Amino acid sequence: MERYKQEFIEFMVDSQVLKFGEFILKSGRKSPFFMNAGSYVTGSQLERLGEYYARAIHDHYGLDFDILFGPAYKGIPLSVATAIAISRLYGREIRYCSNRKEAKDHGDAGILLGSPIKDGDRVMIIEDVTTSGKSIEETFPILKAQGDITVAGLIVSLNRMERGKGEKSALEEIREVYGFPTAAIVTMQDVVEYLYNRPYKGKIIIDDAMKASLDAYYEQYGAKV
């Protein structure tokens, strides 16, 4: 596993973005872990987060695209932080764009904020996590309505590796339905592999009991590969 992925897992734990215990998800599933990107709240956290996204995008896709599109609301700071990181790390100027939940009818009117999207643009979608694909159902028509554009891919921070609407993962379902590639900075398999029975700052985050809970969860909800 690449070092930046190991660092990102530690970063999620340190930032209390990734937690282990008992959580009821929006889907109604009882999960032994929970990921909330809204817990990245400081300047230094956002700076590092942008760097991890930038490295993952570079590794999975290269930088042959024009716009980072972050769906409102959590995608807005993600797109900004990552565009800054790409400029600093790779010297590539990528425009950022996000949508408004409600179209603005005065001043800078319209449904988008940030860069306009025009014919010929290659767009990378950036999100925190995808469990059902619902946000892409809303985002894809918005992008296509802007002109003759290509979606270069979707990047998320964590692939939960559980079933979406069917038997496959949400990322795999998105890939099949919309025809563009999907990727994550890390997967839950990476997380478990790295943290299981590994002391981190004086404690074991995934011990045998938590590993058993995770195994049981994926036995019930895990996506078919």
Side-chain angles (χ1 to χ4, degrees), residues 86-157:
I86 290 174
S87 176
R88 188 170 60 79
L89 293 176
Y90 302 109
R92 177 86 160 84
E93 293 295 357
I94 300 291
R95 290 137 53 204
Y96 99 91
C97 181
S98 295
N99 63 300
R100 296 182 170 98
K101 289 291 188 180
E102 297 179 358
K104 187 178 176 185
D105 60 4
H106 61 281
D108 182 19
I111 197 169
L112 301 182
L113 57 90
S115 174
I117 299 176
K118 60 183 187 299
D119 287 350
D121 277 339
R122 290 175 55 79
V123 181
M124 180 69 61
I125 303 172
I126 183 169
E127 290 200 286
D128 57 346
V129 67
T130 297
T131 49
S132 68
K134 183 178 179 181
S135 64
I136 297 299
E137 291 178 9
E138 300 170 353
T139 297
F140 192 73
I142 292 172
L143 293 174
K144 284 298 187 179
Q146 306 310 308
D148 183 17
I149 64 97
T150 299
V151 176
L154 165 68
I155 186 76
V156 301
S157 60

Side-chain angles (χ1 to χ4, degrees), residues 51-65:
E51 291 176 358
Y52 292 125
Y53 268 108
R55 293 185 189 281
I57 290 171
H58 181 268
D59 281 3
H60 287 286
Y61 298 110
L63 298 174
D64 184 22
F65 61 95

Side-chain angles (χ1 to χ4, degrees), residues 17-35:
V17 165
L18 180 61
K19 298 180 180 181
F20 295 89
E22 286 191 4
F23 306 93
I24 303 299
L25 305 181
K26 192 178 295 184
S27 62
R29 297 174 182 175
K30 182 185 289 187
S31 173
F33 69 97
F34 184 69
M35 185 265 183

